[in-house]
Every structure is written in structure tokens, then in C-alpha cells.
Amino acid sequence: MSPVAPSSAETSEELFDKVIGVNFKGPFRLSAQIGQRMAAGDGGSIINVSSSGAIFPAPKFGPYAGAKAALNALTGVFAREFGPTVRVNTISAGPFLTDISEAWPEESRRSTRSAVGRPGKPEEIITTALYLASPASSYTTSSLVRVDGGLY
């Protein structure tokens, strides 16, 4: 959930709570419950999905950018709390051509301010998630992996 908010002063309490609930509180509660069980069992991998909006925040996205930045910080907290048997990492996704992109202006669906110069296709983020979920990333935890085409 990444709605455009009015100015910070005009962002309603309801919108703020909803954005924080979906983008921070939900992942916090889920990871707290499941991570503890994973650590007591055979371990595993928790993968948070954040956003380039936390790294490159923009006006009108304050609650969203703040929630995703908090999620990035939470990754390190849980990596230390549930390690060494549970690895906790974050994928910082840039612009991807998903259902939300249908509301973007045509130009934004064709090009981005990135090294690659275009938005990503959904299948281009899957390999990162597979890597983080697999034993191939056994020494990767508390990491933020940018999958954003080299946004600048």
C-alpha cells in the first residue's frame, strides 16, 4: 500500500495508521511470531519487501517512505534476534510493472531515472527472492538488496 498522501500536515490519522499498519506493523508482527518459531525449530529465511521509496523519499509519500525505512531497520533487529539459524533480509524494490503501474503515466511505464533506464518486470525480482530463500545465501543476513535497476 503506497498511496499518495496530501501534504504532511493534511495526512489524516486514518491514512497514516493504515499505511504504517500494512507496511510496518504487519511485517513486524508476522516476523516476531514466525521468526521465534523458526529460531526454535530448524531455522530458515525471512525476506522483507521494502521499497526504493525508503532510500529516495519523495514529498507526498511520507508515511510510506517512513514505514519502509522502519522495515529496513527492523531487518537488522530480527537478524540479530533470530540468528544464527534464521536469516532476515530485505529486498528494496524499485519501480516494477505490476498492477500498481497501470495507474502510472505512460512515460513512467517506459523509462526510469536508473542505470537500466526502465522499470523492472515482475520476473526480474524473483531470482533475488530465490537466492535469499536458498542455502546459496547462507552467509547473507541483515542485508538490504536493492533490485531497482540502479536508481539514482
Side-chain angles (χ1 to χ4, degrees):
M1 177 178 193
S2 58
V4 173
S7 70
S8 297
E10 297 172 320
T11 299
S12 70
E13 194 77 17
E14 179 183 8
L15 178 60
F16 180 87
D17 289 346
K18 193 172 187 180
V19 171
I20 297 301
V22 168
N23 292 292
F24 180 68
K25 185 178 180 180
F28 174 87
R29 292 287 179 216
L30 180 61
S31 292
Q33 294 297 314
I34 300 303
Q36 186 176 30
R37 292 178 192 162
M38 290 169 72
D42 294 332
S45 176
I46 296 172
I47 304 167
N48 292 314
V49 179
S50 187
S51 168
S52 58
I55 299 169
F56 304 105
K60 299 190 178 186
F61 289 94
Y64 178 73
K68 291 300 189 178
L71 182 62
N72 294 350
L74 185 66
T75 296
V77 170
F78 283 150
R80 288 167 188 82
E81 186 172 337
F82 303 137
T85 58
V86 178
R87 294 174 292 106
V88 185
N89 293 290
T90 294
I91 295 174
S92 176
F96 275 84
L97 296 173
T98 61
D99 56 343
I100 197 167
S101 68
E102 293 171 15
W104 297 352
E106 182 60 36
E107 178 60 26
S108 296
R109 285 181 270 157
R110 281 196 315 266
S111 68
T112 61
R113 289 179 13 140
S114 69
V116 173
R118 62 168 176 79
K121 299 172 201 156
E123 59 270 18
E124 291 178 302
I125 203 164
I126 293 170
T127 53
T128 304
L130 289 172
Y131 164 72
L132 291 174
S134 78
S137 65
S138 62
Y139 197 64
T140 305
T141 193
S142 190
S143 294
L144 178 111
V145 181
R146 287 179 53 188
V147 184
D148 61 12
L151 283 177
Y152 54 87

mmCIF file of all heavy atoms in Angstrom, residues 79-123:
data_model
loop_
_atom_site.group_PDB
_atom_site.id
_atom_site.type_symbol
_atom_site.label_atom_id
_atom_site.label_comp_id
_atom_site.label_asym_id
_atom_site.label_seq_id
_atom_site.Cartn_x
_atom_site.Cartn_y
_atom_site.Cartn_z
ATOM 1 N N ALA A 79 17.379 -10.045 12.436
ATOM 2 C CA ALA A 79 18.522 -10.884 12.054
ATOM 3 C C ALA A 79 19.349 -11.220 13.297
ATOM 4 O O ALA A 79 19.792 -12.358 13.468
ATOM 5 C CB ALA A 79 19.387 -10.184 11.005
ATOM 6 N N ARG A 80 19.518 -10.236 14.165
ATOM 7 C CA ARG A 80 20.283 -10.473 15.384
ATOM 8 C C ARG A 80 19.478 -11.242 16.428
ATOM 9 O O ARG A 80 20.017 -12.069 17.154
ATOM 10 C CB ARG A 80 20.763 -9.143 15.949
ATOM 11 C CG ARG A 80 21.868 -8.543 15.106
ATOM 12 C CD ARG A 80 22.158 -7.088 15.439
ATOM 13 N NE ARG A 80 23.087 -6.487 14.501
ATOM 14 C CZ ARG A 80 22.755 -5.991 13.314
ATOM 15 N NH1 ARG A 80 21.505 -6.032 12.894
ATOM 16 N NH2 ARG A 80 23.659 -5.458 12.524
ATOM 17 N N GLU A 81 18.192 -10.972 16.470
ATOM 18 C CA GLU A 81 17.342 -11.656 17.460
ATOM 19 C C GLU A 81 17.162 -13.133 17.140
ATOM 20 O O GLU A 81 17.180 -13.969 18.040
ATOM 21 C CB GLU A 81 15.976 -10.962 17.531
ATOM 22 C CG GLU A 81 15.080 -11.497 18.616
ATOM 23 C CD GLU A 81 13.810 -10.685 18.801
ATOM 24 O OE1 GLU A 81 13.780 -9.486 18.434
ATOM 25 O OE2 GLU A 81 12.829 -11.251 19.307
ATOM 26 N N PHE A 82 16.995 -13.475 15.866
ATOM 27 C CA PHE A 82 16.687 -14.853 15.483
ATOM 28 C C PHE A 82 17.888 -15.627 14.944
ATOM 29 O O PHE A 82 17.790 -16.818 14.684
ATOM 30 C CB PHE A 82 15.559 -14.892 14.458
ATOM 31 C CG PHE A 82 14.293 -14.227 14.923
ATOM 32 C CD1 PHE A 82 13.577 -13.411 14.076
ATOM 33 C CD2 PHE A 82 13.826 -14.405 16.219
ATOM 34 C CE1 PHE A 82 12.400 -12.795 14.498
ATOM 35 C CE2 PHE A 82 12.656 -13.788 16.648
ATOM 36 C CZ PHE A 82 11.947 -12.979 15.785
ATOM 37 N N GLY A 83 19.012 -14.934 14.741
ATOM 38 C CA GLY A 83 20.199 -15.614 14.254
ATOM 39 C C GLY A 83 20.798 -16.490 15.331
ATOM 40 O O GLY A 83 20.453 -16.374 16.500
ATOM 41 N N PRO A 84 21.612 -17.430 14.996
ATOM 42 C CA PRO A 84 22.184 -17.626 13.672
ATOM 43 C C PRO A 84 21.377 -18.544 12.766
ATOM 44 O O PRO A 84 21.700 -18.699 11.587
ATOM 45 C CB PRO A 84 23.544 -18.269 13.978
ATOM 46 C CG PRO A 84 23.281 -19.093 15.203
ATOM 47 C CD PRO A 84 22.273 -18.293 15.998
ATOM 48 N N THR A 85 20.301 -19.152 13.269
ATOM 49 C CA THR A 85 19.590 -20.139 12.449
ATOM 50 C C THR A 85 18.585 -19.518 11.488
ATOM 51 O O THR A 85 18.210 -20.151 10.509
ATOM 52 C CB THR A 85 18.859 -21.170 13.333
ATOM 53 O OG1 THR A 85 17.953 -20.478 14.197
ATOM 54 C CG2 THR A 85 19.841 -21.976 14.158
ATOM 55 N N VAL A 86 18.149 -18.295 11.768
ATOM 56 C CA VAL A 86 17.211 -17.611 10.875
ATOM 57 C C VAL A 86 17.923 -16.416 10.263
ATOM 58 O O VAL A 86 18.489 -15.581 10.974
ATOM 59 C CB VAL A 86 15.945 -17.134 11.631
ATOM 60 C CG1 VAL A 86 15.003 -16.390 10.689
ATOM 61 C CG2 VAL A 86 15.238 -18.314 12.280
ATOM 62 N N ARG A 87 17.905 -16.367 8.940
ATOM 63 C CA ARG A 87 18.461 -15.215 8.222
ATOM 64 C C ARG A 87 17.316 -14.280 7.880
ATOM 65 O O ARG A 87 16.251 -14.730 7.456
ATOM 66 C CB ARG A 87 19.175 -15.674 6.944
ATOM 67 C CG ARG A 87 20.405 -16.511 7.250
ATOM 68 C CD ARG A 87 21.058 -17.108 6.016
ATOM 69 N NE ARG A 87 20.188 -18.119 5.408
ATOM 70 C CZ ARG A 87 19.496 -17.947 4.287
ATOM 71 N NH1 ARG A 87 19.567 -16.828 3.610
ATOM 72 N NH2 ARG A 87 18.733 -18.911 3.821
ATOM 73 N N VAL A 88 17.531 -12.990 8.086
ATOM 74 C CA VAL A 88 16.495 -11.990 7.802
ATOM 75 C C VAL A 88 17.104 -10.938 6.883
ATOM 76 O O VAL A 88 18.108 -10.314 7.215
ATOM 77 C CB VAL A 88 15.972 -11.332 9.098
ATOM 78 C CG1 VAL A 88 14.817 -10.383 8.776
ATOM 79 C CG2 VAL A 88 15.535 -12.393 10.110
ATOM 80 N N ASN A 89 16.500 -10.774 5.716
ATOM 81 C CA ASN A 89 16.996 -9.838 4.716
ATOM 82 C C ASN A 89 15.833 -9.049 4.122
ATOM 83 O O ASN A 89 14.669 -9.416 4.289
ATOM 84 C CB ASN A 89 17.729 -10.598 3.600
ATOM 85 C CG ASN A 89 18.992 -11.244 4.103
ATOM 86 O OD1 ASN A 89 19.957 -10.571 4.413
ATOM 87 N ND2 ASN A 89 18.981 -12.568 4.223
ATOM 88 N N THR A 90 16.180 -7.992 3.425
ATOM 89 C CA THR A 90 15.172 -7.148 2.779
ATOM 90 C C THR A 90 15.513 -6.952 1.317
ATOM 91 O O THR A 90 16.661 -6.678 0.971
ATOM 92 C CB THR A 90 15.099 -5.766 3.467
ATOM 93 O OG1 THR A 90 14.609 -5.941 4.785
ATOM 94 C CG2 THR A 90 14.168 -4.818 2.731
ATOM 95 N N ILE A 91 14.503 -7.076 0.483
ATOM 96 C CA ILE A 91 14.608 -6.684 -0.918
ATOM 97 C C ILE A 91 14.045 -5.274 -1.017
ATOM 98 O O ILE A 91 12.899 -5.026 -0.640
ATOM 99 C CB ILE A 91 13.811 -7.627 -1.838
ATOM 100 C CG1 ILE A 91 14.409 -9.038 -1.815
ATOM 101 C CG2 ILE A 91 13.774 -7.074 -3.263
ATOM 102 C CD1 ILE A 91 13.592 -10.060 -2.586
ATOM 103 N N SER A 92 14.861 -4.360 -1.506
ATOM 104 C CA SER A 92 14.413 -2.986 -1.729
ATOM 105 C C SER A 92 14.039 -2.877 -3.209
ATOM 106 O O SER A 92 14.908 -2.731 -4.068
ATOM 107 C CB SER A 92 15.521 -1.994 -1.381
ATOM 108 O OG SER A 92 15.111 -0.680 -1.687
ATOM 109 N N ALA A 93 12.764 -2.981 -3.464
ATOM 110 C CA ALA A 93 12.273 -2.996 -4.847
ATOM 111 C C ALA A 93 12.136 -1.583 -5.400
ATOM 112 O O ALA A 93 11.658 -0.679 -4.716
ATOM 113 C CB ALA A 93 10.927 -3.707 -4.915
ATOM 114 N N GLY A 94 12.563 -1.434 -6.632
ATOM 115 C CA GLY A 94 12.356 -0.181 -7.350
ATOM 116 C C GLY A 94 11.041 -0.249 -8.105
ATOM 117 O O GLY A 94 10.155 -1.032 -7.758
ATOM 118 N N PRO A 95 10.912 0.546 -9.145
ATOM 119 C CA PRO A 95 9.673 0.529 -9.926
ATOM 120 C C PRO A 95 9.556 -0.759 -10.748
ATOM 121 O O PRO A 95 10.466 -1.109 -11.499
ATOM 122 C CB PRO A 95 9.795 1.750 -10.832
ATOM 123 C CG PRO A 95 11.262 2.024 -10.915
ATOM 124 C CD PRO A 95 11.870 1.531 -9.639
ATOM 125 N N PHE A 96 8.457 -1.458 -10.551
ATOM 126 C CA PHE A 96 8.184 -2.688 -11.290
ATOM 127 C C PHE A 96 6.831 -2.587 -11.974
ATOM 128 O O PHE A 96 5.902 -1.971 -11.452
ATOM 129 C CB PHE A 96 8.201 -3.906 -10.350
ATOM 130 C CG PHE A 96 9.573 -4.452 -10.133
ATOM 131 C CD1 PHE A 96 10.402 -3.905 -9.178
ATOM 132 C CD2 PHE A 96 10.051 -5.494 -10.918
ATOM 133 C CE1 PHE A 96 11.686 -4.374 -8.996
ATOM 134 C CE2 PHE A 96 11.341 -5.979 -10.742
ATOM 135 C CZ PHE A 96 12.154 -5.418 -9.782
ATOM 136 N N LEU A 97 6.732 -3.212 -13.114
ATOM 137 C CA LEU A 97 5.496 -3.198 -13.893
ATOM 138 C C LEU A 97 4.518 -4.235 -13.345
ATOM 139 O O LEU A 97 4.299 -5.291 -13.929
ATOM 140 C CB LEU A 97 5.801 -3.445 -15.377
ATOM 141 C CG LEU A 97 6.646 -2.361 -16.038
ATOM 142 C CD1 LEU A 97 7.049 -2.772 -17.448
ATOM 143 C CD2 LEU A 97 5.905 -1.027 -16.056
ATOM 144 N N THR A 98 3.933 -3.906 -12.215
ATOM 145 C CA THR A 98 2.908 -4.740 -11.595
ATOM 146 C C THR A 98 1.567 -4.037 -11.776
ATOM 147 O O THR A 98 1.481 -3.020 -12.464
ATOM 148 C CB THR A 98 3.208 -4.943 -10.096
ATOM 149 O OG1 THR A 98 3.210 -3.663 -9.459
ATOM 150 C CG2 THR A 98 4.553 -5.638 -9.899
ATOM 151 N N ASP A 99 0.534 -4.549 -11.139
ATOM 152 C CA ASP A 99 -0.792 -3.944 -11.301
ATOM 153 C C ASP A 99 -0.818 -2.481 -10.882
ATOM 154 O O ASP A 99 -1.546 -1.687 -11.463
ATOM 155 C CB ASP A 99 -1.850 -4.749 -10.548
ATOM 156 C CG ASP A 99 -1.548 -4.913 -9.076
ATOM 157 O OD1 ASP A 99 -0.390 -4.708 -8.647
ATOM 158 O OD2 ASP A 99 -2.477 -5.263 -8.328
ATOM 159 N N ILE A 100 -0.006 -2.084 -9.907
ATOM 160 C CA ILE A 100 0.002 -0.688 -9.468
ATOM 161 C C ILE A 100 0.505 0.247 -10.568
ATOM 162 O O ILE A 100 0.118 1.399 -10.643
ATOM 163 C CB ILE A 100 0.816 -0.513 -8.171
ATOM 164 C CG1 ILE A 100 0.468 0.808 -7.506
ATOM 165 C CG2 ILE A 100 2.307 -0.635 -8.423
ATOM 166 C CD1 ILE A 100 0.976 0.938 -6.091
ATOM 167 N N SER A 101 1.359 -0.275 -11.455
ATOM 168 C CA SER A 101 1.925 0.569 -12.509
ATOM 169 C C SER A 101 0.890 0.975 -13.558
ATOM 170 O O SER A 101 1.137 1.897 -14.334
ATOM 171 C CB SER A 101 3.105 -0.135 -13.182
ATOM 172 O OG SER A 101 2.683 -1.254 -13.922
ATOM 173 N N GLU A 102 -0.237 0.309 -13.567
ATOM 174 C CA GLU A 102 -1.288 0.673 -14.526
ATOM 175 C C GLU A 102 -1.802 2.086 -14.284
ATOM 176 O O GLU A 102 -2.312 2.728 -15.197
ATOM 177 C CB GLU A 102 -2.430 -0.342 -14.464
ATOM 178 C CG GLU A 102 -2.003 -1.723 -14.953
ATOM 179 C CD GLU A 102 -3.043 -2.787 -14.693
ATOM 180 O OE1 GLU A 102 -4.205 -2.463 -14.387
ATOM 181 O OE2 GLU A 102 -2.671 -3.980 -14.782
ATOM 182 N N ALA A 103 -1.625 2.596 -13.071
ATOM 183 C CA ALA A 103 -2.060 3.961 -12.742
ATOM 184 C C ALA A 103 -0.971 4.995 -13.025
ATOM 185 O O ALA A 103 -1.212 6.193 -12.907
ATOM 186 C CB ALA A 103 -2.470 4.033 -11.274
ATOM 187 N N TRP A 104 0.221 4.538 -13.390
ATOM 188 C CA TRP A 104 1.322 5.465 -13.664
ATOM 189 C C TRP A 104 1.127 6.141 -15.016
ATOM 190 O O TRP A 104 0.510 5.576 -15.927
ATOM 191 C CB TRP A 104 2.649 4.730 -13.733
ATOM 192 C CG TRP A 104 3.108 4.050 -12.499
ATOM 193 C CD1 TRP A 104 2.561 4.110 -11.252
ATOM 194 C CD2 TRP A 104 4.221 3.169 -12.404
ATOM 195 N NE1 TRP A 104 3.275 3.327 -10.386
ATOM 196 C CE2 TRP A 104 4.301 2.739 -11.061
ATOM 197 C CE3 TRP A 104 5.166 2.710 -13.308
ATOM 198 C CZ2 TRP A 104 5.292 1.873 -10.617
ATOM 199 C CZ3 TRP A 104 6.147 1.849 -12.870
ATOM 200 C CH2 TRP A 104 6.217 1.439 -11.534
ATOM 201 N N PRO A 105 1.711 7.323 -15.189
ATOM 202 C CA PRO A 105 1.725 7.942 -16.520
ATOM 203 C C PRO A 105 2.493 7.050 -17.500
ATOM 204 O O PRO A 105 3.409 6.318 -17.095
ATOM 205 C CB PRO A 105 2.476 9.259 -16.300
ATOM 206 C CG PRO A 105 2.472 9.495 -14.830
ATOM 207 C CD PRO A 105 2.342 8.159 -14.172
ATOM 208 N N GLU A 106 2.137 7.100 -18.747
ATOM 209 C CA GLU A 106 2.759 6.254 -19.775
ATOM 210 C C GLU A 106 4.284 6.367 -19.765
ATOM 211 O O GLU A 106 4.989 5.365 -19.870
ATOM 212 C CB GLU A 106 2.205 6.613 -21.159
ATOM 213 C CG GLU A 106 2.759 5.767 -22.293
ATOM 214 C CD GLU A 106 2.484 4.271 -22.145
ATOM 215 O OE1 GLU A 106 1.401 3.906 -21.650
ATOM 216 O OE2 GLU A 106 3.355 3.464 -22.522
ATOM 217 N N GLU A 107 4.805 7.562 -19.633
ATOM 218 C CA GLU A 107 6.260 7.762 -19.632
ATOM 219 C C GLU A 107 6.939 6.992 -18.500
ATOM 220 O O GLU A 107 8.019 6.425 -18.683
ATOM 221 C CB GLU A 107 6.595 9.258 -19.523
ATOM 222 C CG GLU A 107 8.079 9.565 -19.469
ATOM 223 C CD GLU A 107 8.873 9.088 -20.688
ATOM 224 O OE1 GLU A 107 8.296 8.959 -21.795
ATOM 225 O OE2 GLU A 107 10.081 8.824 -20.534
ATOM 226 N N SER A 108 6.299 6.925 -17.331
ATOM 227 C CA SER A 108 6.861 6.202 -16.189
ATOM 228 C C SER A 108 6.854 4.696 -16.410
ATOM 229 O O SER A 108 7.638 3.979 -15.793
ATOM 230 C CB SER A 108 6.078 6.525 -14.913
ATOM 231 O OG SER A 108 6.219 7.884 -14.596
ATOM 232 N N ARG A 109 5.970 4.219 -17.270
ATOM 233 C CA ARG A 109 5.944 2.792 -17.585
ATOM 234 C C ARG A 109 6.981 2.417 -18.633
ATOM 235 O O ARG A 109 7.260 1.250 -18.851
ATOM 236 C CB ARG A 109 4.552 2.366 -18.053
ATOM 237 C CG ARG A 109 3.573 2.279 -16.876
ATOM 238 C CD ARG A 109 2.216 1.850 -17.301
ATOM 239 N NE ARG A 109 1.477 3.080 -17.629
ATOM 240 C CZ ARG A 109 0.441 3.156 -18.411
ATOM 241 N NH1 ARG A 109 -0.037 2.086 -19.000
ATOM 242 N NH2 ARG A 109 -0.173 4.304 -18.623
ATOM 243 N N ARG A 110 7.550 3.429 -19.280
ATOM 244 C CA ARG A 110 8.558 3.184 -20.316
ATOM 245 C C ARG A 110 9.978 3.442 -19.833
ATOM 246 O O ARG A 110 10.906 2.764 -20.259
ATOM 247 C CB ARG A 110 8.295 4.070 -21.541
ATOM 248 C CG ARG A 110 7.200 3.562 -22.450
ATOM 249 C CD ARG A 110 7.245 4.240 -23.822
ATOM 250 N NE ARG A 110 7.432 5.682 -23.757
ATOM 251 C CZ ARG A 110 6.446 6.574 -23.773
ATOM 252 N NH1 ARG A 110 5.204 6.184 -23.861
ATOM 253 N NH2 ARG A 110 6.699 7.857 -23.712
ATOM 254 N N SER A 111 10.169 4.446 -18.974
ATOM 255 C CA SER A 111 11.535 4.796 -18.574
ATOM 256 C C SER A 111 11.595 5.221 -17.111
ATOM 257 O O SER A 111 10.583 5.640 -16.537
ATOM 258 C CB SER A 111 12.082 5.913 -19.470
ATOM 259 O OG SER A 111 11.380 7.111 -19.229
ATOM 260 N N THR A 112 12.785 5.072 -16.534
ATOM 261 C CA THR A 112 13.032 5.486 -15.157
ATOM 262 C C THR A 112 14.387 6.174 -15.083
ATOM 263 O O THR A 112 15.219 6.014 -15.977
ATOM 264 C CB THR A 112 13.057 4.284 -14.187
ATOM 265 O OG1 THR A 112 14.111 3.395 -14.568
ATOM 266 C CG2 THR A 112 11.734 3.553 -14.165
ATOM 267 N N ARG A 113 14.594 6.900 -13.990
ATOM 268 C CA ARG A 113 15.906 7.507 -13.734
ATOM 269 C C ARG A 113 16.783 6.445 -13.073
ATOM 270 O O ARG A 113 16.940 6.422 -11.865
ATOM 271 C CB ARG A 113 15.759 8.726 -12.830
ATOM 272 C CG ARG A 113 15.103 9.904 -13.490
ATOM 273 C CD ARG A 113 14.956 11.067 -12.557
ATOM 274 N NE ARG A 113 15.749 10.912 -11.340
ATOM 275 C CZ ARG A 113 16.424 11.869 -10.742
ATOM 276 N NH1 ARG A 113 16.380 13.082 -11.212
ATOM 277 N NH2 ARG A 113 17.110 11.640 -9.639
ATOM 278 N N SER A 114 17.286 5.557 -13.901
ATOM 279 C CA SER A 114 18.102 4.452 -13.398
ATOM 280 C C SER A 114 19.155 4.086 -14.432
ATOM 281 O O SER A 114 19.068 4.495 -15.586
ATOM 282 C CB SER A 114 17.223 3.229 -13.108
ATOM 283 O OG SER A 114 16.723 2.666 -14.308
ATOM 284 N N ALA A 115 20.117 3.302 -13.980
ATOM 285 C CA ALA A 115 21.169 2.852 -14.894
ATOM 286 C C ALA A 115 20.591 1.993 -16.017
ATOM 287 O O ALA A 115 21.064 2.042 -17.155
ATOM 288 C CB ALA A 115 22.236 2.074 -14.124
ATOM 289 N N VAL A 116 19.556 1.212 -15.708
ATOM 290 C CA VAL A 116 18.923 0.363 -16.716
ATOM 291 C C VAL A 116 17.983 1.180 -17.601
ATOM 292 O O VAL A 116 17.793 0.872 -18.768
ATOM 293 C CB VAL A 116 18.187 -0.819 -16.037
ATOM 294 C CG1 VAL A 116 17.387 -1.624 -17.028
ATOM 295 C CG2 VAL A 116 19.184 -1.705 -15.319
ATOM 296 N N GLY A 117 17.393 2.226 -17.042
ATOM 297 C CA GLY A 117 16.566 3.142 -17.825
ATOM 298 C C GLY A 117 15.117 2.752 -18.005
ATOM 299 O O GLY A 117 14.382 3.396 -18.744
ATOM 300 N N ARG A 118 14.685 1.690 -17.343
ATOM 301 C CA ARG A 118 13.300 1.234 -17.496
ATOM 302 C C ARG A 118 12.828 0.591 -16.199
ATOM 303 O O ARG A 118 13.648 0.173 -15.376
ATOM 304 C CB ARG A 118 13.194 0.209 -18.634
ATOM 305 C CG ARG A 118 14.029 -1.042 -18.345
ATOM 306 C CD ARG A 118 13.742 -2.191 -19.288
ATOM 307 N NE ARG A 118 14.623 -3.308 -19.040
ATOM 308 C CZ ARG A 118 14.478 -4.190 -18.049
ATOM 309 N NH1 ARG A 118 13.477 -4.092 -17.196
ATOM 310 N NH2 ARG A 118 15.340 -5.185 -17.903
ATOM 311 N N PRO A 119 11.521 0.470 -16.025
ATOM 312 C CA PRO A 119 11.017 -0.271 -14.864
ATOM 313 C C PRO A 119 11.308 -1.763 -15.019
ATOM 314 O O PRO A 119 11.529 -2.251 -16.131
ATOM 315 C CB PRO A 119 9.500 -0.030 -14.892
ATOM 316 C CG PRO A 119 9.263 1.042 -15.885
ATOM 317 C CD PRO A 119 10.443 1.064 -16.809
ATOM 318 N N GLY A 120 11.305 -2.464 -13.906
ATOM 319 C CA GLY A 120 11.542 -3.892 -13.929
ATOM 320 C C GLY A 120 10.297 -4.683 -14.277
ATOM 321 O O GLY A 120 9.170 -4.211 -14.115
ATOM 322 N N LYS A 121 10.521 -5.886 -14.761
ATOM 323 C CA LYS A 121 9.424 -6.831 -14.994
ATOM 324 C C LYS A 121 9.330 -7.701 -13.735
ATOM 325 O O LYS A 121 10.352 -8.004 -13.113
ATOM 326 C CB LYS A 121 9.734 -7.697 -16.210
ATOM 327 C CG LYS A 121 9.904 -6.910 -17.484
ATOM 328 C CD LYS A 121 10.399 -7.811 -18.597
ATOM 329 C CE LYS A 121 11.046 -6.956 -19.675
ATOM 330 N NZ LYS A 121 11.998 -7.714 -20.466
ATOM 331 N N PRO A 122 8.134 -8.120 -13.356
ATOM 332 C CA PRO A 122 7.986 -8.907 -12.124
ATOM 333 C C PRO A 122 8.943 -10.092 -12.031
ATOM 334 O O PRO A 122 9.504 -10.347 -10.966
ATOM 335 C CB PRO A 122 6.525 -9.354 -12.156
ATOM 336 C CG PRO A 122 5.836 -8.281 -12.925
ATOM 337 C CD PRO A 122 6.831 -7.864 -13.984
ATOM 338 N N GLU A 123 9.187 -10.762 -13.129
ATOM 339 C CA GLU A 123 10.067 -11.936 -13.078
ATOM 340 C C GLU A 123 11.518 -11.561 -12.748
ATOM 341 O O GLU A 123 12.308 -12.413 -12.344
ATOM 342 C CB GLU A 123 10.003 -12.741 -14.376
ATOM 343 C CG GLU A 123 10.389 -11.983 -15.623
ATOM 344 C CD GLU A 123 9.225 -11.281 -16.324
ATOM 345 O OE1 GLU A 123 8.170 -11.066 -15.712
ATOM 346 O OE2 GLU A 123 9.394 -10.952 -17.506
#
